[in-house]
Amino acid sequence: MSNLLHLDASARRKSFSRELSQAYAATWRAAHPDAGYVYRDLAADPVPHITEAWTELCDYVLAHQITDISRYGEAVRTPAQEEAWKMLKPLLDEVVAADVVLIGTPMYNFSIPSSLKAWLDQITFPKMSLKGRSFVVTGARGGAYGPGTPREPVDHEERYLRDFFKGHFAVEEVTFIHTELTNSLLDPAIAHLRDKHELSREAALAEVAR
């Protein structure tokens, strides 16, 4: 049976990234009616930042060359480490159980929200592999950051996540779907780009509905 892990990271309850992730999840679940589904709102229910105890777990895993995720618990040796492990283990279990990981996230200040970074930090250990899983990122950007645009070089959202999934998880099957130019609805200086924003939104919604 397939399983979908669905995450949202936008601080806005009504956001373009949430719109896309919810549409993708609805399409996916309709196509897989018997599949498992887990949802986490990383903004409404944030994951704590890593602690020193987490770094000790990470160091143990690396020093003992533990690459089997099911053995990470062997690193727990102190009460503080036990607390860190109790916090992160459910998050890690959700990822391991998923066939598809869906992440709805806006671009904040050229990168990802801190809530999403905290989640990534908690579940990531040295030399781990999540091969065989697919990652889908539905995003929203205030401007235009696609190939050939002036701001392409400062896109540290998609490039960061793509590099992260490949470098830390050994996952290269990543799909990015973005709604761009959302600030055209608010900023008078780029109000003339609202038509382009709407075209971007319509194209993204069409893509997640496939």
PDB file of all heavy atoms in Angstrom, residues 9 11 20 23 31 34 59 69 76 81 93 100 111 132 136 141 149 171 187 191 204:
ATOM      1  N   ALA A   9       4.280  24.427   5.273  1.00  0.00           N
ATOM      2  CA  ALA A   9       5.191  25.251   6.064  1.00  0.00           C
ATOM      3  C   ALA A   9       4.855  26.734   6.031  1.00  0.00           C
ATOM      4  O   ALA A   9       5.523  27.526   6.694  1.00  0.00           O
ATOM      5  CB  ALA A   9       6.631  25.042   5.585  1.00  0.00           C
ATOM      6  N   ALA A  11       3.400  30.287   6.865  1.00  0.00           N
ATOM      7  CA  ALA A  11       2.853  30.945   8.058  1.00  0.00           C
ATOM      8  C   ALA A  11       1.428  31.424   7.826  1.00  0.00           C
ATOM      9  O   ALA A  11       0.705  31.716   8.788  1.00  0.00           O
ATOM     10  CB  ALA A  11       3.739  32.125   8.445  1.00  0.00           C
ATOM     11  N   LEU A  20      -1.736  24.707  -3.475  1.00  0.00           N
ATOM     12  CA  LEU A  20      -1.161  23.713  -4.376  1.00  0.00           C
ATOM     13  C   LEU A  20      -0.980  22.360  -3.689  1.00  0.00           C
ATOM     14  O   LEU A  20      -1.290  21.309  -4.269  1.00  0.00           O
ATOM     15  CB  LEU A  20       0.185  24.199  -4.916  1.00  0.00           C
ATOM     16  CG  LEU A  20       0.159  25.357  -5.903  1.00  0.00           C
ATOM     17  CD1 LEU A  20       1.584  25.725  -6.312  1.00  0.00           C
ATOM     18  CD2 LEU A  20      -0.655  24.999  -7.144  1.00  0.00           C
ATOM     19  N   ALA A  23      -4.289  20.646  -3.262  1.00  0.00           N
ATOM     20  CA  ALA A  23      -4.813  20.147  -4.537  1.00  0.00           C
ATOM     21  C   ALA A  23      -4.059  18.897  -4.963  1.00  0.00           C
ATOM     22  O   ALA A  23      -4.657  17.932  -5.460  1.00  0.00           O
ATOM     23  CB  ALA A  23      -4.706  21.233  -5.603  1.00  0.00           C
ATOM     24  N   ALA A  31      -6.529   9.014  -6.518  1.00  0.00           N
ATOM     25  CA  ALA A  31      -5.927   7.966  -7.357  1.00  0.00           C
ATOM     26  C   ALA A  31      -5.474   6.769  -6.532  1.00  0.00           C
ATOM     27  O   ALA A  31      -5.238   5.695  -7.084  1.00  0.00           O
ATOM     28  CB  ALA A  31      -4.740   8.547  -8.132  1.00  0.00           C
ATOM     29  N   ASP A  34      -6.918   3.590  -1.192  1.00  0.00           N
ATOM     30  CA  ASP A  34      -6.600   2.718  -0.064  1.00  0.00           C
ATOM     31  C   ASP A  34      -5.265   3.069   0.578  1.00  0.00           C
ATOM     32  O   ASP A  34      -4.787   2.349   1.459  1.00  0.00           O
ATOM     33  CB  ASP A  34      -6.574   1.249  -0.529  1.00  0.00           C
ATOM     34  CG  ASP A  34      -7.923   0.786  -1.058  1.00  0.00           C
ATOM     35  OD1 ASP A  34      -8.946   1.190  -0.471  1.00  0.00           O
ATOM     36  OD2 ASP A  34      -7.952   0.034  -2.052  1.00  0.00           O
ATOM     37  N   ASP A  59      26.471  12.344  16.125  1.00  0.00           N
ATOM     38  CA  ASP A  59      27.893  12.000  16.212  1.00  0.00           C
ATOM     39  C   ASP A  59      28.088  10.500  16.406  1.00  0.00           C
ATOM     40  O   ASP A  59      28.993   9.888  15.816  1.00  0.00           O
ATOM     41  CB  ASP A  59      28.558  12.747  17.368  1.00  0.00           C
ATOM     42  CG  ASP A  59      28.687  14.237  17.111  1.00  0.00           C
ATOM     43  OD1 ASP A  59      28.487  14.653  15.951  1.00  0.00           O
ATOM     44  OD2 ASP A  59      28.951  14.986  18.070  1.00  0.00           O
ATOM     45  N   ILE A  69      18.594   2.959   9.153  1.00  0.00           N
ATOM     46  CA  ILE A  69      17.764   3.880   9.926  1.00  0.00           C
ATOM     47  C   ILE A  69      17.112   3.191  11.126  1.00  0.00           C
ATOM     48  O   ILE A  69      16.960   3.802  12.188  1.00  0.00           O
ATOM     49  CB  ILE A  69      16.696   4.531   9.025  1.00  0.00           C
ATOM     50  CG1 ILE A  69      17.377   5.399   7.951  1.00  0.00           C
ATOM     51  CG2 ILE A  69      15.718   5.370   9.835  1.00  0.00           C
ATOM     52  CD1 ILE A  69      16.426   5.985   6.936  1.00  0.00           C
ATOM     53  N   VAL A  76      21.172   6.166  21.587  1.00  0.00           N
ATOM     54  CA  VAL A  76      20.630   6.762  22.809  1.00  0.00           C
ATOM     55  C   VAL A  76      21.339   6.187  24.034  1.00  0.00           C
ATOM     56  O   VAL A  76      21.299   4.974  24.282  1.00  0.00           O
ATOM     57  CB  VAL A  76      19.117   6.514  22.915  1.00  0.00           C
ATOM     58  CG1 VAL A  76      18.582   7.079  24.225  1.00  0.00           C
ATOM     59  CG2 VAL A  76      18.397   7.145  21.735  1.00  0.00           C
ATOM     60  N   GLN A  81      19.450  12.521  25.617  1.00  0.00           N
ATOM     61  CA  GLN A  81      19.381  11.894  24.293  1.00  0.00           C
ATOM     62  C   GLN A  81      18.070  11.143  24.110  1.00  0.00           C
ATOM     63  O   GLN A  81      17.507  11.122  23.010  1.00  0.00           O
ATOM     64  CB  GLN A  81      20.571  10.958  24.097  1.00  0.00           C
ATOM     65  CG  GLN A  81      21.900  11.677  24.004  1.00  0.00           C
ATOM     66  CD  GLN A  81      23.085  10.731  24.105  1.00  0.00           C
ATOM     67  OE1 GLN A  81      22.920   9.514  24.167  1.00  0.00           O
ATOM     68  NE2 GLN A  81      24.285  11.294  24.150  1.00  0.00           N
ATOM     69  N   ASP A  93       9.912   8.211  11.516  1.00  0.00           N
ATOM     70  CA  ASP A  93       9.067   7.068  11.144  1.00  0.00           C
ATOM     71  C   ASP A  93       8.095   7.447  10.026  1.00  0.00           C
ATOM     72  O   ASP A  93       7.837   6.642   9.115  1.00  0.00           O
ATOM     73  CB  ASP A  93       8.280   6.569  12.358  1.00  0.00           C
ATOM     74  CG  ASP A  93       9.156   5.836  13.361  1.00  0.00           C
ATOM     75  OD1 ASP A  93      10.289   5.462  13.010  1.00  0.00           O
ATOM     76  OD2 ASP A  93       8.695   5.643  14.503  1.00  0.00           O
ATOM     77  N   VAL A 100       5.664   8.815  -0.950  1.00  0.00           N
ATOM     78  CA  VAL A 100       5.720  10.172  -1.505  1.00  0.00           C
ATOM     79  C   VAL A 100       5.715  11.160  -0.351  1.00  0.00           C
ATOM     80  O   VAL A 100       4.891  11.052   0.556  1.00  0.00           O
ATOM     81  CB  VAL A 100       4.521  10.454  -2.440  1.00  0.00           C
ATOM     82  CG1 VAL A 100       4.592  11.881  -2.985  1.00  0.00           C
ATOM     83  CG2 VAL A 100       4.465   9.440  -3.578  1.00  0.00           C
ATOM     84  N   SER A 111      14.800  31.790   0.509  1.00  0.00           N
ATOM     85  CA  SER A 111      15.060  30.428   0.959  1.00  0.00           C
ATOM     86  C   SER A 111      13.781  29.813   1.520  1.00  0.00           C
ATOM     87  O   SER A 111      12.679  30.234   1.173  1.00  0.00           O
ATOM     88  CB  SER A 111      16.183  30.429   1.995  1.00  0.00           C
ATOM     89  OG  SER A 111      16.583  29.115   2.302  1.00  0.00           O
ATOM     90  N   GLY A 132      14.153   5.501  -3.331  1.00  0.00           N
ATOM     91  CA  GLY A 132      12.897   4.830  -3.622  1.00  0.00           C
ATOM     92  C   GLY A 132      11.680   5.671  -3.301  1.00  0.00           C
ATOM     93  O   GLY A 132      10.569   5.329  -3.692  1.00  0.00           O
ATOM     94  N   VAL A 136       7.829  15.799  -3.632  1.00  0.00           N
ATOM     95  CA  VAL A 136       7.116  16.800  -4.426  1.00  0.00           C
ATOM     96  C   VAL A 136       7.068  18.080  -3.606  1.00  0.00           C
ATOM     97  O   VAL A 136       6.647  18.058  -2.446  1.00  0.00           O
ATOM     98  CB  VAL A 136       5.685  16.349  -4.781  1.00  0.00           C
ATOM     99  CG1 VAL A 136       4.961  17.441  -5.572  1.00  0.00           C
ATOM    100  CG2 VAL A 136       5.710  15.036  -5.562  1.00  0.00           C
ATOM    101  N   ARG A 141       6.159  31.952  -4.701  1.00  0.00           N
ATOM    102  CA  ARG A 141       7.196  32.974  -4.635  1.00  0.00           C
ATOM    103  C   ARG A 141       6.589  34.334  -4.926  1.00  0.00           C
ATOM    104  O   ARG A 141       5.743  34.468  -5.811  1.00  0.00           O
ATOM    105  CB  ARG A 141       8.265  32.697  -5.697  1.00  0.00           C
ATOM    106  CG  ARG A 141       9.090  31.444  -5.440  1.00  0.00           C
ATOM    107  CD  ARG A 141       8.856  30.404  -6.502  1.00  0.00           C
ATOM    108  NE  ARG A 141       9.811  29.310  -6.404  1.00  0.00           N
ATOM    109  CZ  ARG A 141      10.990  29.311  -7.009  1.00  0.00           C
ATOM    110  NH1 ARG A 141      11.363  30.307  -7.769  1.00  0.00           N
ATOM    111  NH2 ARG A 141      11.798  28.287  -6.864  1.00  0.00           N
ATOM    112  N   THR A 149      15.334  34.244 -15.617  1.00  0.00           N
ATOM    113  CA  THR A 149      14.877  35.487 -14.999  1.00  0.00           C
ATOM    114  C   THR A 149      16.045  36.155 -14.270  1.00  0.00           C
ATOM    115  O   THR A 149      16.996  35.487 -13.851  1.00  0.00           O
ATOM    116  CB  THR A 149      13.747  35.231 -13.989  1.00  0.00           C
ATOM    117  OG1 THR A 149      14.234  34.374 -12.952  1.00  0.00           O
ATOM    118  CG2 THR A 149      12.553  34.568 -14.666  1.00  0.00           C
ATOM    119  N   VAL A 171      18.127  11.049  -2.882  1.00  0.00           N
ATOM    120  CA  VAL A 171      16.876  11.101  -3.646  1.00  0.00           C
ATOM    121  C   VAL A 171      17.025  12.118  -4.763  1.00  0.00           C
ATOM    122  O   VAL A 171      17.289  13.300  -4.506  1.00  0.00           O
ATOM    123  CB  VAL A 171      15.681  11.483  -2.746  1.00  0.00           C
ATOM    124  CG1 VAL A 171      14.431  11.732  -3.599  1.00  0.00           C
ATOM    125  CG2 VAL A 171      15.411  10.388  -1.731  1.00  0.00           C
ATOM    126  N   ASP A 187       1.863  44.543  -4.263  1.00  0.00           N
ATOM    127  CA  ASP A 187       2.862  45.579  -4.513  1.00  0.00           C
ATOM    128  C   ASP A 187       2.489  46.387  -5.760  1.00  0.00           C
ATOM    129  O   ASP A 187       2.521  45.858  -6.870  1.00  0.00           O
ATOM    130  CB  ASP A 187       4.231  44.925  -4.696  1.00  0.00           C
ATOM    131  CG  ASP A 187       5.355  45.937  -4.818  1.00  0.00           C
ATOM    132  OD1 ASP A 187       5.081  47.152  -4.922  1.00  0.00           O
ATOM    133  OD2 ASP A 187       6.529  45.500  -4.829  1.00  0.00           O
ATOM    134  N   ALA A 191       2.255  45.553 -10.016  1.00  0.00           N
ATOM    135  CA  ALA A 191       0.853  45.225 -10.281  1.00  0.00           C
ATOM    136  C   ALA A 191       0.612  44.884 -11.742  1.00  0.00           C
ATOM    137  O   ALA A 191      -0.311  44.123 -12.066  1.00  0.00           O
ATOM    138  CB  ALA A 191      -0.045  46.390  -9.865  1.00  0.00           C
ATOM    139  N   ALA A 204       0.219  25.946 -12.485  1.00  0.00           N
ATOM    140  CA  ALA A 204       0.591  25.111 -11.330  1.00  0.00           C
ATOM    141  C   ALA A 204      -0.577  24.249 -10.875  1.00  0.00           C
ATOM    142  O   ALA A 204      -0.418  23.059 -10.587  1.00  0.00           O
ATOM    143  CB  ALA A 204       1.071  26.005 -10.198  1.00  0.00           C
TER     144      ALA A 204
END
